[in-house]
């Protein structure tokens, strides 16, 4: 990991600052984070909000993506089930984001910790961004040293419409690679893109 960190730091010195994607998913994530922070400012405690806000988050995402009609078509049980997916009665941003953006996602804190560790290893200057060109190396770290197939790296880049000159923030990165963990059969909300398991 240290060698990879050194390479990431060297690559970071060659760029002029973050160059994030403006893909619709990243824009929705920013909107969702604003929603979370508004609730947090009003009612949050220690960086967490009530898990019942997952329902409001899903409704907000569906409105942003033009899926308002689906809100009316879903039975109340659908929305009741959403909040029960949370690991506790209060949740932080990462849990909220994953459960709102992903349908049928189960939150695994151990895997998120592993993803955070790898992200931090490649975010050598602690800017909050990693380089898209390092994605293959990053996925290899998440896959316990197994090199990823080239199409998997391309698929991850396509998810956020990234090229090698761009950078990825923590939120986008977590959403992009969460499917590499133990959550088979998941689809991302708002995109109908199936997540595949390596």
């Amino acid at each position: 990991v240290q060698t990879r960190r050194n390479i990431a730091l060297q690559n970071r010195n060659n760029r002029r600052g973050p160059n994030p994607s403006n893909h619709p998913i990243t824009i929705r994530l920013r909107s969702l984070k604003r929603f979370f922070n508004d609730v947090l400012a009003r009612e949050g405690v220690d960086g967490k909000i009530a898990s019942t806000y997952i329902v409001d988050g899903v409704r907000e995402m569906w409105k942003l993506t033009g899926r308002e009609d689906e809100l009316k078509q879903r039975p109340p049980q659908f929305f009741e089930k959403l909040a029960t997916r949370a690991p506790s009665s209060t949740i932080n941003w990462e849990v909220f984001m994953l459960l709102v953006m992903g349908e049928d996602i189960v939150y695994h804190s151990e895997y998120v910790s592993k993803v955070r560790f790898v992200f931090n290893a490649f975010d050598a200057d602690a800017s909050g961004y990693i380089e898209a060109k390092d994605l293959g190396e990053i996925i290899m770290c998440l896959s316990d040293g197994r090199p990823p197939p080239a199409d998997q790296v391309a698929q991850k880049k396509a998810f956020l419409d990234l090229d090698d000159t761009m950078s990825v923030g923590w939120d986008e990165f977590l959403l992009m690679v969460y499917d590499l963990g133990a959550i088979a059969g998941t689809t991302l909300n708002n995109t109908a893109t199936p997540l595949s398991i390596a």
Side-chain angles (χ1 to χ4, degrees), residues 14-83:
N14 296 332
R15 76 174 172 135
R16 294 195 171 99
N19 183 18
S21 170
N22 282 321
H23 189 276
I25 291 174
T26 61
I27 293 167
R28 288 184 208 125
L29 275 175
R30 291 177 203 141
S31 178
L32 187 63
K33 193 160 198 173
R34 233 181 345 268
F35 174 85
F36 179 88
N37 286 333
D38 288 347
V39 173
L40 186 63
R42 286 192 321 265
E43 303 174 28
V45 177
D46 295 328
K48 295 183 177 185
I49 63 173
S51 61
T52 54
Y53 279 104
I54 292 171
V55 174
D56 295 329
V58 167
R59 286 184 171 138
E60 186 68 20
M61 279 295 99
W62 286 9
K63 287 177 185 175
L64 284 170
T65 58
R67 295 174 64 184
E68 292 101 329
D69 290 343
E70 284 188 55
L71 292 172
K72 299 170 193 162
Q73 297 169 359
R74 298 288 181 151
Q77 298 87 344
F78 172 81
F79 294 104
E80 291 168 8
K81 183 182 173 191
L82 287 175

Side-chain angles (χ1 to χ4, degrees), residues 107-121:
Y107 182 78
H108 297 283
S109 61
E110 300 84 18
Y111 183 68
V112 171
S113 295
K114 178 180 180 178
V115 172
R116 173 66 84 175
F117 177 80
V118 171
F119 181 88
N120 288 341

Side-chain angles (χ1 to χ4, degrees), residues 155-171:
Q155 181 186 36
K156 294 299 175 191
K157 287 181 180 180
F159 177 73
L160 294 175
D161 200 22
L162 298 170
D163 64 46
D164 283 346
T165 66
M166 301 176 98
S167 53
V168 181
W170 166 245
D171 298 340

